[in-house]
Amino acid sequence: MTSADVRRAPEAAPSGRHETAQRLLDSSATLSYDPATEVDWETPLDKDFHGASPEWSTLYGTSYWAEMTPEQQKELTRQEAASVASTGIWFEMILQQMVLRDFYAKDPTDPAFQWALTEIADECRHSIMFARGAQKLGAPPYRPRKLAVELGRVFKAVAGGEAAYAAILVAEEVLDVMQRDWMRDERVVPFVRTINNIHVVEESRHMKFAREETREQLEGAGAVRRQFNALVIAIASYFIVSSMVNRDVYKNAGLDAERALREAKNNEHHKSMMRSSCAGLMEFLGSCGLLTKPAMVFYKRANLI
């Protein structure tokens, strides 16, 4: 082969990852939102509405729920929605740091690099949106318990590859299913429905990329690595899901916190809702070889399987 032949050789075909990233960039350019202008921040909170679909409340279906007044039920769902939003902010900050670290000093002309920055920009807007939404719901700042915060600090500093992207996927998929219900539910206060719609539309692109990255990172991974990261992902998932509803929501809704905690812990309806919301996610993790026996212990504890 001559040097001229080398110069004329065709470039390698774009990888599936490259093509996915380019499609996501194109989609983002076509359909993205600015929460500062899309959400009605000015209209005062109407307390005749729920903050979330009542069926997603941790007390729905319990004897305590049946005893509560409609006003108490609505206040509880508003506090729970604010807690979920606050947990979302916490994990989105972890996500942003992991993605930035993954793409540090990589090729900026790569569509995957540009998509990573686009995703981070989305997450920044979502976090501000969630913060303003929680504030408008009349809730105090909810934070995960200290152990979860410190473990998150370690996880965001050391997690990489499939451990990072699969954990991102778990957080996004769980939120996605419940928010799809909330955004369609006319019992939910309108500004929360708008927030959920924005998040569902934009997170669908993030989930697509997280799935692609998880598969890509696992190519050629050995059994030991899969076993180890499957467990790391499951532990991270447990702390993410168990942090969604802060125990203080019951006190702030004017309920007997001890009784509420006890009934929420044993609420089979809520456990069933969580399991059904994660059926597709568990199928995906299983197809990647990440649903090991040790991992399933934590998914069962989190009521994800």
Side-chain angles (χ1 to χ4, degrees):
M1 179 182 289
T2 68
S3 58
D5 292 327
V6 172
R7 286 196 298 270
R8 289 194 298 269
E11 295 182 2
S15 67
R17 178 174 180 260
H18 179 111
E19 291 179 341
T20 297
Q22 188 59 59
R23 285 198 303 272
L24 295 175
L25 283 168
D26 294 342
S27 174
S28 180
T30 303
L31 185 60
S32 289
Y33 298 95
D34 180 0
T37 57
E38 294 285 345
V39 180
D40 178 6
W41 300 113
E42 303 304 320
T43 302
L45 174 66
D46 187 340
K47 293 191 175 182
D48 286 336
F49 287 92
H50 286 275
S53 296
E55 292 80 7
W56 276 100
S57 173
T58 54
L59 289 182
Y60 185 88
T62 66
S63 58
Y64 202 175
W65 180 269
E67 295 171 22
M68 292 163 61
T69 66
E71 291 72 25
Q72 286 177 315
Q73 293 172 352
K74 290 169 185 173
E75 181 60 31
L76 176 59
T77 63
R78 289 194 292 268
Q79 294 294 324
E80 289 177 322
S83 178
V84 169
S86 297
T87 301
I89 295 168
W90 168 63
F91 193 75
E92 283 180 345
M93 293 184 74
I94 292 174
L95 180 160
Q96 291 170 54
Q97 293 177 72
M98 291 193 299
V99 173
L100 274 172
R101 187 160 44 79
D102 185 34
F103 281 88
Y104 175 71
K106 289 185 178 178
D107 178 6
T109 67
D110 183 351
F113 181 98
Q114 295 169 27
W115 167 251
L117 295 184
T118 301
E119 180 169 347
I120 291 165
D122 287 346
E123 299 296 7
C124 286
R125 291 196 309 275
H126 294 169
S127 293
I128 295 169
M129 177 177 71
F130 284 155
R132 294 183 69 181
Q135 184 179 26
K136 186 167 179 174
L137 284 167
Y142 289 114
R143 296 184 179 89
R145 57 194 184 278
K146 186 170 182 177
L147 177 59
V149 170
E150 295 308 316
L151 288 174
R153 197 185 304 280
V154 173
F155 184 73
K156 69 182 176 61
V158 301
E162 64 272 19
Y165 284 100
I168 288 170
L169 185 62
V170 170
E172 291 175 341
E173 291 254 7
V174 172
L175 273 175
D176 181 72
V177 174
M178 64 175 68
Q179 289 184 329
R180 285 178 186 272
D181 285 349
W182 302 359
M183 74 183 195
R184 301 185 185 104
D185 193 337
E186 294 185 356
R187 296 169 297 176
V188 175
V189 65
F191 83 90
V192 169
R193 295 178 63 193
T194 304
I195 287 172
N196 291 329
N197 183 67
I198 291 171
H199 198 247
V200 163
V201 169
E202 298 189 345
E203 287 295 321
S204 66
R205 295 190 286 261
H206 301 183
M207 290 188 291
K208 174 70 174 174
F209 190 68
R211 284 176 179 251
E212 193 76 29
E213 283 294 308
T214 299
R215 292 191 188 98
E216 177 111 0
Q217 297 284 347
L218 280 168
E219 286 184 7
V224 172
R225 174 176 156 182
R226 283 179 189 268
Q227 287 280 334
F228 176 76
N229 281 326
L231 184 57
V232 169
I233 295 161
I235 293 170
S237 301
Y238 169 78
F239 280 99
I240 293 164
V241 172
S242 64
S243 297
M244 281 189 170
V245 177
N246 190 291
R247 60 187 297 137
D248 289 341
V249 300
Y250 307 112
K251 177 184 67 177
N252 294 331
L255 303 178
D256 177 340
E258 291 305 316
R259 180 186 174 188
L261 283 165
R262 187 169 58 251
E263 295 208 22
K265 184 179 180 180
N266 297 311
N267 187 355
E268 291 302 324
H269 169 80
H270 191 258
K271 292 177 184 179
S272 175
M273 292 285 282
M274 292 298 293
R275 284 193 294 269
S276 64
S277 75
C278 292
L281 171 64
M282 292 299 120
E283 182 179 349
F284 172 76
L285 294 177
S287 72
C288 294
L290 295 173
L291 212 54
T292 61
K293 286 185 178 179
M296 287 179 67
V297 171
F298 287 92
Y299 290 126
K300 287 178 180 177
R301 287 187 64 185
N303 302 307
L304 299 184
I305 198 169

